[in-house]
């Protein structure tokens, strides 16, 4: 980047079956880009890191009793009327360590249609979700996010669930530099 210049904003355009779609603003949290999503009914807000190297939706949850989990916004499945409990617990590896999670599903909502219309830009029911039960992540207690939004391109995850982008009907996305008004061709 040229000295004296900065990027005003970064956003992802998630585009179901086309090159244009809803724009999700990303916030720079000290070199980690996050976006806000809601999970469940009523919606519970979570700050998610956009991760192109994974495929799952992983969120901190009230199922995790470790002190490191308590410092985050934790999804509470007991207050969601759209929560579908699972029975299988999986261990998933990330660059910072491992997470033990319950495979479940719920409704996710991302973005909004416009600055004046707060209707979710993208919404899907029964999206496979990994609810954190325990973690061995380096510095999780200091992380600026509550979960991971896996944006990797794959239909199935290692946990044998439908990948997040597939669940959302998204086959490509574009990173828009400069704000939500930027348009472009999304490439797979």
């Amino acid at each position: 980047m040229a000295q004296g210049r900065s990027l005003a904003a970064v956003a992802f355009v998630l585009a179901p079956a086309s090159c244009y779609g809803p724009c999700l603003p990303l916030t720079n949290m000290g070199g980690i880009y996050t976006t806000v999503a809601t999970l469940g009914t009523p919606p519970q807000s979570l700050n998610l890191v956009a991760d192109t190297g994974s495929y799952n939706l992983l969120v901190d949850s009230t199922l995790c009793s470790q002190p490191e989990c308590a410092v985050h916004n934790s999804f509470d499945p007991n207050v969601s009327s759209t929560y579908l409990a699972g029975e299988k617990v999986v261990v998933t590896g990330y660059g910072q360590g491992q997470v033990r999670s319950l495979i479940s599903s719920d409704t996710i909502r991302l973005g909004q249609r416009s600055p004046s219309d707060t209707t979710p830009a993208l919404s899907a029911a029964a999206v496979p979700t990994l609810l954190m039960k325990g973690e061995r992540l380096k510095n999780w207690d200091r992380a600026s996010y509550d979960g991971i939004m896996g944006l990797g391109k794959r239909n199935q995850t290692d946990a044998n669930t439908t990948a997040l982008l597939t669940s959302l009907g998204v086959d490509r996305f574009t990173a828009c530099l400069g704000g939500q008004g930027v348009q472009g061709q999304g490439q797979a």
Side-chain angles (χ1 to χ4, degrees):
M1 180 166 24
Q3 188 173 4
R5 293 182 60 188
S6 65
L7 297 176
V10 176
F12 273 118
V13 175
L14 296 180
S18 73
C19 292
Y20 299 97
C23 201
L24 301 179
L26 297 176
T27 302
N28 184 341
M29 303 294 283
I32 297 171
Y33 285 91
T34 64
T35 192
V36 175
T38 63
L39 189 63
T41 307
Q44 299 175 47
S45 291
L46 299 162
N47 201 23
L48 304 176
V49 66
D51 181 16
T52 58
S54 66
Y55 314 95
N56 296 301
L57 174 62
L58 167 74
V59 299
D60 193 293
S61 78
T62 57
L63 303 178
C64 181
S65 60
Q66 293 176 229
E68 297 86 354
C69 293
V71 300
H72 294 275
N73 292 323
S74 297
F75 175 72
D76 186 350
N78 294 318
V79 299
S80 176
S81 63
T82 50
Y83 171 71
L84 299 172
E87 295 180 8
K88 186 176 179 184
V89 174
V90 296
V91 175
T92 309
Y94 294 91
Q96 295 174 312
Q98 294 183 329
V99 178
R100 190 170 53 87
S101 306
L102 175 68
I103 299 174
S104 60
S105 63
D106 211 329
T107 299
I108 187 170
R109 296 164 201 87
L110 297 163
Q112 60 188 59
R113 290 189 181 170
S114 72
S116 61
D117 182 356
T118 59
T119 303
L122 201 56
S123 179
V127 172
T129 306
L130 300 181
L131 298 186
M132 192 180 290
K133 290 184 63 108
E135 59 79 31
R136 293 177 57 192
L137 298 170
K138 181 179 180 182
N139 299 320
W140 178 241
D141 58 333
R142 291 185 267 153
S144 58
Y145 52 92
D146 309 311
I148 299 171
M149 182 173 66
L151 298 175
K153 184 107 167 97
R154 182 188 279 184
N155 291 330
Q156 293 289 309
T157 69
D158 295 335
N160 202 29
T161 63
T162 303
L164 177 59
L165 289 182
T166 302
S167 293
L168 294 172
V170 174
D171 63 357
R172 63 189 76 191
F173 65 88
T174 299
C176 301
L177 304 177
Q180 290 185 347
V182 177
Q183 297 291 321
Q185 295 281 327
Q187 300 297 316

